[in-house]
C-alpha cells in the first residue's frame, strides 16, 4: 500500500509524501527496486541531487539490467551540467549496453549521441576525448552500432586534435614555469619539456589509426606527414641511447613517403640528408631528379641542381658515365643549361635557404673546390662538418662516409688556402681519414701535395706514387710526382716524366691549358737547373722557350713570368723587361716571393716607400712567409724587414718595432733587422731596448759580408745616440769619435758629437762638475772649428757654438779657460758681416764685436763679456743658417733671446760701472727675439713663457698674458706655473702666488723652483721654519745650475744656526750648505757675501785653512772696492771681514796674524759716525775683534795687552759673563797677587749679577779647589748638583760638572770615604746620562769591572757623528779604556795624536 501511495503522490507532484511513503517501504524492504526509484525521483524533484543519486544507485545495484534507474540517473546528471559528467558517462554506457542487449539500436544510438552532445557542451577536452572513445573500434558498442556512427578515422581525427591542443597548452605552461627557475636556459628548458610531453604521448598512435581507418588518400597522406613530423620531433628530444628504434621508424616513414612520391619536404630531406655516401653518385638518381621536380624552390634542390649540371665529374673524379650526376646531367642538358655564373648564384642561394643542410654545404664546398675558390670551400666545408656532427648527434646517425668526404674536401681546400698556414690542419684531417681508409686516393694525393710544399720530396713521391697506382689516369698527380722527383734533385728523371705527361695533356679547355702551362714551366726549370752555365741559360731555345710556351698556354701563369724576369735581369740584362715580368708575376700571385723581393728592392732603391709597403704587405698576407710547423720550406724575413723600413720612414715606430721583431723571429741573425729594431726603439723612446738591439747587431758584425761591413758604422752611431739619450755622454762621445775616425767627413755624426759635447757640458753644470763642463765646452768649440772647415751653413753648428760659449757664463771661476782666439777665428770663417747685425742697434753686438775685444774693469768681466758676445754672434749666425726652415728659424730666434737674457742677467750681477745700460739693452733685444720667434710659431708654449720672463720687470700685465697664453697651450708645464707664481709674488699677491706654486708642485713634484717660490713666500709671511724646510727640499731636488736655490738654502741654514745657539749645528749638518755655497762660489766668484758665508761655515766645521783663504779673498776684493769707491758700506764689510779673518787666524793658532787683523778691524770700526754698520752689528764686530785680540795676546804671552783687550770687551758687552770668565782666566794665568785678587773680585761680582751662569760656577769651583776653599766648595757643589739635573745643560758642560764634582770629592774626602764618594759621583753621572760615554769612562776609571769600559765604548760609538758630536780623541780614549790590544790599535788609528791609545798599547806589550 505504501508503494502505491508513493506512486500516487508522485503523480500528484506531492514529492514530500512520496518521499515518506517510499522511505516506509525501504524500511521494511531495503532492496525494493521501485521504492528506490520513486525516492530518487522525488528527491530529484526537490533539488536534492546527491540523495537522489544515492537512491538511483541503490536501485541499479538491485537490478543492474533495468533501464529505469539508469535513465533516472541520466536525467538527474543532465540537470547538474558538468558537475557529474563522469557519472553521466558511466550511466550512459550502462544504459546503451542494456538497449544493445535488448536489440534496440535506435534508443542505444540516441543515448550515445545525447551523451556525446552533452560532453561536448559541458565537459573539458579530456572528458570529450573520453566520450569520443565510445565510437572507436576499441569500444564494446562499436560493433553493434557500426554503420550508424561515424567512421573511426573521423573520430580518431577529433581525438588527435584534442590531444594536439592539450599538449600545446601543457608545453607552453611547463616552459613558462621552468624558465623562471634559477640557472635555467630557454633552449634546455624547451628540450626537457618536449621530451617529457612527447615521450608519453598517444598522438602517434592516433595518427597511425587515422591512416589505417581512413579511406581517403589525401587524409592518409596528410596524417602520414603529421606522423613523420611527430616521430622526427620525438627523435630529436630523445636521449642518445633511445634514438635507434625511433630513428628506424622515422627512416621507414620517410622512405615510404618518398617511394609513394608524395611531395613532403621533410621526408625527402631525411632520405637525402641521412644517406651516408662518399660521392653523390651513391645517391638514387631518380630520387634526386624527383626531389628537384617536386621542390624547385627548396634550397637543397637548388644546390643539387647546380651541382649535377656542372662539370665537376670530369674535374674532381674523372669521367664516370654511370654516375647519378651524369645521368641527371645528360637528361637535363637539353632543357636546363646553366652558365657558370648562374649555377654558382643558384647554389649559393640554395645554401642561404638551407642553412641547416649539411648535404647542401658539402656539395657547395665541393663545387667551390672545383672552381679553386679555396676560401669559400674552406668556410662552407667547415659549416658542412659542423652541421653533419649536429645532425648525427640529434638523430643518432652514423655518417662516417659523409664526414670523411667533407674532411677530404676541407683538407684539400686547406692545402691551397693561405698556403702553407693551414697545412698542419689539412694533414691531420688526411691522416684521420687514412687511418680508416688507407688507400683513399684523394687523401694520398693531399698528403703528397702537403709534403711537396714542405719540401719533403721523398715522402711526397711516396704518397703520390701510391695514388698513381690506385688511379693512373690522374695526369695532374703524375705531373706532381714528376715535379717532386725534379725538386728532389733528379732533374733528368723529372724532365722525362714531365715531357711524357705533356704529350697526354691536350689543352682543349681552360683547366688542361693551365696544367699544360704548369708542365711547360716545370720542364723549363728542369732544363735551367740541368745546365747552370751562363751560355746554356742565355740560350733562347732552352729553358727560355719553355717559359714563353708556358705563358702562351696560360697568360696568367705567374711562375713563368718570374723565371722570365730572372732571365732578363741576370742574363739578358734587360732591366725594363725584367721589371715588367716581375710586376706581372706579382700581380698574378703574391706567392711569387722572388719576384716580390726584386720588386721591393727596386722600389726601395727609388725610395718609393708606398710601393715597397704594398709589395711587402701583400707577400705577408699571402701566408708564404712563414712555413707551417715541421716544414722544410725556407722562411722569408725580408717582407717584415721591408715593412719595418717603410714604417720607420713614416715615423710609425710602434708598427716598425712589430715588423722588425717578426723579421727577427724568422731570421735571428739578420743584421739590418737588428739595426732597424734598435732605431725604432730609439725613436720611440725605449732606450734600454734600443741599446740591447744595437749591441746584438754589433755581435753579428764579425759574420757579415765585406759589402755590408762598410755600413756597420751606422749601428755604432745609433748606439751612441741611445747612450746620449740615456745621459751616458762620456760613452756616447767615445762612440761618436770612433765613428768619425772611420768616416771623418760624416756631417751628421759630427753635429751629433757637437750636440753631445754641449749636453754633457750642461749636464756637468747641473751635477756640479764645473771643470768637466768647461772641458766639454772647449772640446765642442774645437769640434765646431773642424766642422766649419767643411760646412758653415748648418743651423746646428752655430747653435752648438753658441751653447758652448754660454757655458762659460755659468762657470765664471773658469772663464780664463775660454778659447778667445779659437772662437774669434771660428766666427770669422766665411764671414758675411750682415749675419751678425741682427738687433746690433739694440744690443750693441754686431760685426765689430767679432774681434771679441771687450773691455771692462776686471779681467773676469772682460772674459764674461767675450764668451757672451761670442754666444750671441753664433746664435745670430744660426738665424741666417736656418733661413729656409721656418721652425728652425723660430728656434734660432728663441735661442738668441735666451742668450741675450743671459747677458742681461750677467751684466745685472756685476758691479762694474756702465753695465746697467748695457744690461737693459740686452733685455730689450731678448724681448724682440722672443716676439720674432712667436711671430714664426705662435703655438709654441715655450716661446710665450720666455717672453713672459723677460717682460716681468718691464710690463707685468704683458708678462701675465704671456704666462697665461703659455698655460693655455700647455697647462702641464711646472716651469710656467712657477714663473706665474713668481710674478704674483713680486707684486705681493701672496695667495694667488701660493696657488700657482702649489699647481706647479702637483704638476711636477721634482721641480725645485716651485718649492723655492713657496719658501720665499713663507719667508715673507714670517714662517722661517717652514721656509728653511722648503729651501732645504728645493736644494735637495735641484740641479747645480740654480744659483738662487743655493743662495736661499745657504742663508736659511746660517739664519737657523744663528737663531738656535742652544742647539749647536753639527759638522755633518753644515756640509751640505757649505757644498752649496762653494758651488755658488765657483759659479759666481765675485759674489762676496756668499763667499763670506762660506768662510763662516768653514770656520764652524774646523777647516781653518780654507776659511782663511776665503776670508783673505773677501778682504782683498772689498779693500779694492773701497779704494775705488770709498764707500762706507765697503768699509763696514771690510771691518767685518777682518774681524772674522782674525778669529780664523786665532783658531789656526796664527796668533800674530790674528792680533794684527783684529787691531785693524778695531781701527776700521772705531769711527761710529762714519761707519755703515748699525749699532748692533758694530758692537758684535768690535766685541769679536777685542776677544780675538785678547786671546791672541794671551797665547803670545802678552798678558797686559790681553787684559786690556778683555777689559775693552767687557765694556763693549756690558760685563757679559762669558767675557768675565775669559778675563778671570787670563788674570789668574798672569799669577800676580793683585791680578788674582782682581780675578776673584770680577768673578764674585759676576756671580752676584748672574748667579745661574754655569761657566761662572764652574770657574769659581775650580778656583776654590785650587785654593782649597771648603766653604766656597760647599756652595759651588750645591749649585753644580742643581745644574747637573737641569735639562738646559749640554753634554760638554755635563762632562765638566762631573769632573769638577769628582775633584771636589777627592779634595774633601780621604781614604775609603774618598773612593766611595768618587764611585758615587761616577755612578750618579751614569744614572743621569746613561747614553753619554763620559760617565761610563769615569766609572771605568774608579772600578776594575770590565762592564763600564765596554759600555763606555758602546756609548762612544753611538755618540760619534752623525749620531752625536763626540770627537775622535774621546772615541780613542774609550777604545783605550777596554785594555784590549786590538782596541788600543783602533784608538791609535782613530786619533794618533792622542796619548791614551799609545799608553795602553805600551802597557799591553810590556
Amino acid at each position: 500500500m505504501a508503494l502505491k501511495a508513493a506512486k500516487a503522490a508522485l503523480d500528484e507532484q506531492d514529492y514530500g509524501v512520496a518521499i515518506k511513503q517510499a522511505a516506509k517501504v525501504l524500511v521494511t524492504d531495503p532492496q525494493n527496486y521501485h521504492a528506490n526509484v520513486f525516492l530518487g525521483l522525488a528527491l530529484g524533484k526537490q533539488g536534492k541531487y546527491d540523495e537522489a543519486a544515492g537512491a538511483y544507485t541503490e536501485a541499479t545495484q538491485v537490478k543492474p539490467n533495468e533501464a529505469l534507474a539508469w535513465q533516472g540517473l541520466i536525467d538527474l546528471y543532465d540537470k547538474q551540467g558538468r558537475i557529474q559528467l563522469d557519472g553521466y558517462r558511466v550511466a550512459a554506457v550502462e544504459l546503451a549496453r542494456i538497449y544493445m542487449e535488448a536489440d534496440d539500436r535506435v534508443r542505444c544510438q540516441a543515448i550515445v549521441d545525447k551523451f556525446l552532445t552533452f560532453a561536448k557542451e559541458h565537459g573539458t577536452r579530456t572528458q570529450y576525448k573520453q566520450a569520443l572513445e565510445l565510437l572507436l573500434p576499441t569500444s564494446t558498442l562499436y560493433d553493434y552500432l557500426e554503420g550508424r556512427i561515424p567512421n573511426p578515422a573521423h573520430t580518431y581525427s577529433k581525438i588527435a586534435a584534442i590531444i594536439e591542443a592539450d599538449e600545446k597548452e601543457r608545453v607552453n605552461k611547463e616552459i613558462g614555469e621552468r624558465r623562471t627557475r634559477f640557472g635555467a636556459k630557454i633552449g634546455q628548458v624547451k628540450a626537457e619539456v618536449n621530451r617529457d610531453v612527447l615521450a608519453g604521448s598517444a598522438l602517434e598512435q592516433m595518427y597511425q589509426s587515422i591512416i589505417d581507418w581512413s579511406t581517403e588518400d589525401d587524409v592518409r597522406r596528410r596524417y602520414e606527414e603529421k606522423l613523420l613530423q611527430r616521430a622526427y620531433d620525438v627523435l630529436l628530444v630523445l636521449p642518445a641511447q633511445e634514438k635507434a628504434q625511433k630513428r628506424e621508424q622515422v627512416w621507414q616513414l620517410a622512405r615510404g613517403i618518398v617511394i609513394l612520391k608524395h611531395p613532403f619536404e621533410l621526408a625527402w630531406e631525411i632520405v637525402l640528408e641521412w644517406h651516408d655516401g662518399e660521392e653523390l653518385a651513391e645517391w638514387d638518381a631518380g630520387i634526386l631528379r624527383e626531389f628537384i621536380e617536386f621542390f624547385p624552390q627548396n634550397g637543397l634542390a637548388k644546390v643539387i641542381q647546380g651541382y649535377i649540371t656542372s662539370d665537376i665529374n670530369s674535374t674532381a673524379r674523372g669521367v664516370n658515365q654511370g654516375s647519378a650526376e651524369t645521368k641527371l646531367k645528360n637528361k637535363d642538358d637539353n632543357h636546363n643549361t646553366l652558365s657558370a655564373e648562374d649555377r654558382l648564384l643558384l647554389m649559393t642561394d640554395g645554401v642561404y635557404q638551407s642553412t641547416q643542410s649539411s648535404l647542401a654545404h658539402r656539395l657547395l664546398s665541393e663545387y667551390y673546390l672545383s672552381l679553386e675558390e679555396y676560401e669559400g670551400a674552406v668556410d662552407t666545408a667547415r659549416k658542412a662538418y659542423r652541421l653533419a656532427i649536429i645532425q648525427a648527434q640529434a638523430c643518432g646517425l652514423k655518417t662516417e662516409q659523409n664526414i670523411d668526404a667533407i674532411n677530404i674536401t676541407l683538407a684539400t681546400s686547406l692545402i691551397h688556402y693561405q698556403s702553407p698556414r693551414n697545412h698542419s690542419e689539412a694533414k691531420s684531417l688526411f691522416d684521420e681519414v687514412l687511418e680508416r681508409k688507407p688507400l683513399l686516393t684523394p687523401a694520398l694525393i693531399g698528403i703528397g701535395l702537403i709534403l711537396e710544399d714542405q719540401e719533403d720530396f721523398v715522402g711526397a713521391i711516396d704518397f703520390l706514387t701510391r695514388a698513381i697506382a690506385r688511379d693512373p689516369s690522374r695526369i695532374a698527380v703524375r705531373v706532381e710526382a714528376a715535379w717532386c722527383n725534379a725538386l728532389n734533385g733528379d732533374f733528368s728523371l723529372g724532365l722525362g716524366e714531365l715531357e711524357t705527361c705533356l704529350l697526354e695533356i691536350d689543352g682543349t679547355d681552360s683547366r688542361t691549358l693551365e696544367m699544360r702551362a704548369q708542365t711547360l714551366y716545370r720542364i723549363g726549370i728542369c732544363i735551367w737547373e740541368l745546365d747552370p752555365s751562363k751560355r746554356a741559360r742565355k740560350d733562347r731555345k732552352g729553358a727560355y722557350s719553355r717559359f714563353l710556351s708556358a705563358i702562351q698556354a696560360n697568360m696568367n701563369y705567374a711562375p713563368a713570368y718570374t723565371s722570365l724576369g730572372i732571365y732578363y735581369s741576370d742574363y739578358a740584362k734587360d732591366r725594363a723587361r725584367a721589371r715588367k715580368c716581375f710586376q706581372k708575376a706579382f700581380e698574378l700571385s703574391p706567392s711569387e716571393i722572388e719576384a716580390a723581393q726584386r720588386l721591393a728592392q727596386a722600389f726601395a732603391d727609388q725610395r718609393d716607400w708606398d710601393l715597397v709597403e704594398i709589395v711587402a704587405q701583400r707577400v705577408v698576407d699571402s701566408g708564404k712567409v712563414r712555413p707551417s710547423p715541421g716544414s722544410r720550406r725556407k722562411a722569408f724575413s725580408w717582407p717584415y724587414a721591408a715593412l719595418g723600413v717603410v714604417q720607420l720612414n713614416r715615423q710609425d715606430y710602434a708598427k716598425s718595432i712589430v715588423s722588425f721583431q717578426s723579421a727577427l723571429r724568422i731570421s735571428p741573425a739578420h743584421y739590418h733587422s737588428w739595426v732597424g729594431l734598435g732605431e725604432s726603439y730609439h725613436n720611440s723612446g725605449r732606450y734600454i731596448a734600443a741599446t740591447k738591439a744595437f749591441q746584438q747587431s754589433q755581435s753579428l758584425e764579425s759574420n757579415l759580408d765585406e759589402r755590408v761591413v762598410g755600413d756597420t758604422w751606422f749601428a755604432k752611431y745609433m748606439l751612441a745616440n741611445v747612450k746620449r739619450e740615456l745621459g751616458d755622454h762620456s760613452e756616447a762621445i767615445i762612440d761618436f769619435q770612433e765613428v768619425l775616425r772611420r768616416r771623418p767627413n760624416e756631417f751628421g755624426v759630427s753635429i751629433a758629437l757637437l750636440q753631445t759635447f754641449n749636453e754633457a757640458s750642461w749636464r756637468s753644470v747641473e751635477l756640479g762638475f764645473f771643470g768637466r763642463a768647461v772641458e766639454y765646452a772647449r772640446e765642442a768649440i774645437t769640434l765646431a772649428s773642424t766642422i766649419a772647415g767643411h760646412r758653415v751653413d748648418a743651423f746646428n753648428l752655430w747653435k752648438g757654438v753658441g751653447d758652448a760659449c754660454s757655458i762659460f757664463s755659468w762657470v765664471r771661476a773658469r772663464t780664463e779657460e775660454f778659447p778667445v782666439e779659437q772662437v774669434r777665428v771660428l766666427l770669422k770663417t766665411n764671414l758675411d758681416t750682415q749675419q751678425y747685425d741682427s738687433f746690433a742697434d739694440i744690443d750693441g753686438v754686431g760685426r765689430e764685436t767679432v774681434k771679441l775685444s771687450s773691455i771692462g774693469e776686471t779681467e773676469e768681466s772682460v772674459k764674461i763679456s767675450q764668451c757672451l758676445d761670442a754666444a750671441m754672434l753664433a746664435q745670430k749666425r744660426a738665424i741666417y743658417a736656418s733661413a729656409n726652415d721656418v721652425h728652425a728659424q723660430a728656434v734660432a730666434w728663441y735661442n738668441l733671446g735666451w742668450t741675450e737674457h743671459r747677458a742681461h742677467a750677467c751684466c745685472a750681477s756685476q758691479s762694474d760701472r756702465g753695465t746697467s745700460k748695457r744690461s737693459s739693452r740686452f733685455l730689450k733685444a731678448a724681448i724682440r727675439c722672443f716676439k720674432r720667434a712667436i711671430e714664426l710659431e705662435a703655438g709654441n708654449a715655450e716661446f710665450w713663457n720666455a717672453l713672459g720672463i723677460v717682460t716681468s720687470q718691464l710690463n707685468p700685465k704683458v708678462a701675465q698674458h704671456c704666462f697665461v697664453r703659455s698655460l693655455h697651450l700647455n697647462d702641464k708645464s711646472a716651469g710656467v706655473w712657477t714663473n706665474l707664481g713668481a710674478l704674483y709674488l713680486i707684486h705681493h699677491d701672496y695667495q694667488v702666488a701660493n696657488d700657482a706654486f702649489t699647481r706647479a708642485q702637483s704638476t711636477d713634484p721634482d721641480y725645485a723652483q716651485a718649492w723655492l717660490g713657496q719658501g720665499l713666500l713663507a719667508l715673507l709671511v714670517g714662517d722661517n721654519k717652514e721656509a728653511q724646510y722648503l729651501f732645504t727640499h728645493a736644494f735637495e731636488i735641484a740641479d747645480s745650475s740654480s744659483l738662487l736655490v743655493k743662495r736661499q738654502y745657504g742663508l736659511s741654514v746660517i739664519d737657523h744656526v744663528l737663531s738656535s745657539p742652544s742647539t749647536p749645528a753639527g759638522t755633518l749638518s753644515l756640509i751640505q750648505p757649505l757644498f752649496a755655497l762653494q758651488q755658488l762660489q765657483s759659479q759666481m766668484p765675485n759674489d762676496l757675501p756668499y763667499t763670506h758665508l762660506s768662510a763662516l761655515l768653514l770656520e764652524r766645521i774646523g777647516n781653518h785653512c780654507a776659511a782663511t783663504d776665503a776670508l783673505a779673498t773677501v778682504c782683498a776684493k772689498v779693500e779694492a772696492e773701497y779704494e775705488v769707491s770709498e764707500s762706507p758700506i765697503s768699509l763696514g764689510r771690510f771691518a767685518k771681514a777682518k774681524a772674522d779673518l782674525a778669529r780664523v787666524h786665532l783658531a789656526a793658532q796664527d796668533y800674530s796674524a790674528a792680533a794684527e787683523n783684529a787691531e785693524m778691524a778695531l781701527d776700521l770700526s772705531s769711527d761710529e759716525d762714519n761707519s755703515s754698520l748699525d749699532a748692533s752689528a758694530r758692537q758684535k764686530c768690535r766685541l769679536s775683534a777685542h776677544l780675538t785680540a785678547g786671546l791672541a795676546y794671551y797665547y803670545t804671552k802678552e798678558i797686559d795687552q790681553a787684559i786690556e783687550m778683555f777689559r775693552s770687551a767687557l765694556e763693549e758687552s756690558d760685563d757679559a759673563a762669558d767675557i768675565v770668565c775669559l778675563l778671570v782666566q787670563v788674570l789668574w794665568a798672569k799669577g800676580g797677587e793683585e791680578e788674582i785678587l782682581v780675578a776673584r773680585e770680577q768673578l764674585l761680582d759676576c756671580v752676584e749679577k748672574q748667579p745661574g751662569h754655569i761657566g761662572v760656577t764652574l770657574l769659581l769651583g775650580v778656583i776654590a779647589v785650587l785654593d782649597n776653599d771648603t766653604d766656597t766648595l760647599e756652595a759651588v757643589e750645591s749649585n753644580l748638583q742643581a745644574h747637573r739635573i737641569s735639562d738646559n745643560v749640554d753634554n760638554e758642560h755635563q762632562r765638566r760638572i762631573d769632573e769638577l764634582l769628582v775633584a771636589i770629592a777627592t779634595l774633601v774626602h780621604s781614604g775609603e770615604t774618598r773612593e766611595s764618594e768618587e764611585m758615587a759621583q761616577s755612578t750618579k753621572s751614569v744614572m743621569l746620562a746613561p747614553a753619554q760615554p763620559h760617565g761610563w769612562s769615569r766609572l771605568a776609571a774608579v772600578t776594575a769591572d770590565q762592564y763600564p769600559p765596554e759600555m763606555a765604548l758602546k756609548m762612544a760609538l753611538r755618540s760619534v757623528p752623525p749620531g752625536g758630536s763626540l770627537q775622535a780623541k774621546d772615541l780613542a780614549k774609550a777604545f783605550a779604556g777596554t785594555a784590549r790590544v786590538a782596541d788600543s790599535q783602533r784608538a791609535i788609528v782613530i786619533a794618533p795624536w792622542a796619548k791614551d791609545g799609545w799608553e795602553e798599547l805600551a802597557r799591553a806589550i810590556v
Side-chain angles (χ1 to χ4, degrees), residues 418-555:
Q418 294 183 348
S419 175
R421 181 179 300 173
N422 301 307
H423 281 182
S424 58
E425 181 183 358
K427 191 172 185 299
S428 65
L429 292 174
F430 284 132
D431 290 338
E432 182 181 348
V433 174
L434 287 175
E435 287 179 2
R436 296 187 296 273
K437 304 171 183 177
L439 299 178
L440 188 63
T441 304
L444 294 173
I445 296 172
I447 292 183
L449 294 176
I450 292 173
L451 294 177
E452 176 188 349
D453 192 77
Q454 294 178 352
E455 299 184 2
D456 184 1
F457 303 119
V458 176
I461 292 170
D462 176 49
F463 278 92
L464 293 175
T465 304
R466 287 159 58 187
I468 293 171
R470 293 273 299 166
D471 188 359
S473 63
R474 293 178 179 266
I475 299 177
V477 181
R478 290 165 55 195
V479 170
E480 292 297 332
W483 180 237
C484 288
N485 283 323
L487 295 177
N488 197 35
D490 195 347
F491 292 102
S492 299
L493 177 61
L495 178 61
E497 293 176 348
L498 287 170
E499 289 178 340
T500 301
C501 293
L502 182 64
L503 298 175
E504 301 179 24
I505 302 174
D506 53 9
T508 56
D509 55 19
S510 60
R511 297 189 179 280
T512 55
L513 278 174
E514 183 175 355
M515 187 183 300
R516 182 176 179 83
Q518 183 186 60
T519 306
L520 285 167
Y521 163 75
R522 291 175 174 179
I523 291 173
I525 292 296
C526 291
I527 296 172
W528 184 275
E529 296 295 337
L530 280 173
D531 189 356
S533 64
K534 188 174 182 179
R535 181 184 59 81
R537 291 188 172 181
K538 291 180 68 175
D539 185 4
R540 290 181 176 265
K541 296 181 180 180
Y544 173 78
S545 64
R546 303 305 193 280
F547 297 148
L548 280 180
S549 299
I551 293 175
Q552 291 170 358
N554 183 3
M555 294 295 292

Side-chain angles (χ1 to χ4, degrees), residues 647-718:
Q647 292 153 356
L648 189 61
N649 279 279
R650 291 179 177 174
Q651 299 181 0
D652 193 351
Y653 304 121
K655 291 184 179 179
S656 67
I657 289 172
V658 174
S659 298
F660 284 124
Q661 286 176 338
S662 300
L664 289 169
R665 290 190 189 101
I666 298 173
S667 301
H670 191 249
Y671 173 80
H672 289 99
S673 293
W674 281 110
V675 174
L677 180 62
E679 187 174 358
S680 300
Y681 278 137
H682 167 265
N683 293 338
S684 60
R686 300 169 62 179
Y687 301 120
I688 301 299
T691 301
K692 294 179 180 179
F694 285 126
Q695 288 175 345
Q696 180 65 27
S697 69
Q698 288 181 338
S699 67
L700 300 173
E701 291 180 359
S702 58
N703 300 325
L704 296 177
D705 295 337
E706 293 183 359
R707 295 174 297 175
V708 182
V709 171
D711 297 332
T712 56
W713 66 270
F714 182 75
K716 192 77 171 177
Y717 164 71
M718 289 303 302

Side-chain angles (χ1 to χ4, degrees), residues 926-979:
I927 295 173
R928 295 283 298 275
C929 291
F930 290 136
K931 285 183 177 179
R932 185 69 62 85
I934 291 173
E935 290 173 1
L936 294 172
E937 191 174 338
N940 193 309
E942 294 296 327
F943 294 175
W944 287 101
N945 176 50
L947 183 59
I949 292 173
V950 298
T951 57
S952 296
Q953 297 177 356
L954 301 179
N955 194 329
K957 292 184 178 180
V958 172
Q960 182 185 24
H961 169 75
C962 293
F963 290 140
V964 172
R965 180 64 179 171
S966 178
L967 290 173
H968 173 73
L969 295 171
N970 178 20
D971 62 347
K972 302 298 183 182
S973 175
V976 181
W977 282 109
T978 303
N979 294 334

Side-chain angles (χ1 to χ4, degrees), residues 1313-1383:
T1313 306
R1314 176 188 298 175
E1315 294 178 359
S1316 62
E1317 187 64 23
E1318 290 180 356
M1319 178 67 72
Q1321 293 295 337
S1322 300
T1323 304
K1324 190 173 183 179
S1325 177
V1326 170
M1327 295 299 293
L1328 290 173
Q1332 298 300 323
H1334 63 267
W1336 293 103
S1337 298
R1338 177 62 59 184
L1339 183 60
V1342 298
T1343 181
D1345 194 355
Q1346 184 61 29
Y1347 182 72
E1350 295 290 343
M1351 287 302 299
L1353 178 58
K1354 289 181 180 180
M1355 296 302 105
L1357 290 173
R1358 292 176 58 183
S1359 300
V1360 298
S1365 58
L1366 192 71
Q1367 300 297 318
K1369 180 179 179 181
D1370 296 326
L1371 179 60
K1373 184 177 181 180
F1375 269 109
T1378 62
R1380 290 193 292 264
V1381 175
D1383 287 341

Side-chain angles (χ1 to χ4, degrees), residues 1077-1090:
L1077 292 174
Q1078 287 183 334
Q1079 281 192 339
L1080 183 61
Q1081 188 176 358
S1082 297
Q1083 293 176 272
M1084 301 286 291
N1086 285 334
D1087 201 347
L1088 299 182
Y1090 292 95

Side-chain angles (χ1 to χ4, degrees), residues 1261-1328:
V1262 171
I1263 293 175
V1265 169
L1266 295 177
D1267 291 345
N1268 197 13
D1269 186 354
T1270 56
D1271 295 335
T1272 304
L1273 286 176
E1274 291 179 2
V1276 169
E1277 184 177 6
S1278 63
N1279 287 334
L1280 291 177
Q1281 292 293 352
H1283 285 301
R1284 195 178 195 183
I1285 61 175
S1286 174
D1287 294 333
N1288 297 325
V1289 180
D1290 59 19
N1291 293 332
E1292 181 61 26
H1293 282 104
Q1294 187 71 44
R1295 183 182 64 80
R1296 293 180 182 179
I1297 291 172
D1298 292 341
E1299 291 179 354
L1300 183 55
L1301 287 174
V1302 172
I1304 292 174
T1306 304
L1307 181 62
V1308 174
H1309 302 282
S1310 62
E1312 295 181 359
T1313 306
R1314 176 188 298 175
E1315 294 178 359
S1316 62
E1317 187 64 23
E1318 290 180 356
M1319 178 67 72
Q1321 293 295 337
S1322 300
T1323 304
K1324 190 173 183 179
S1325 177
V1326 170
M1327 295 299 293
L1328 290 173

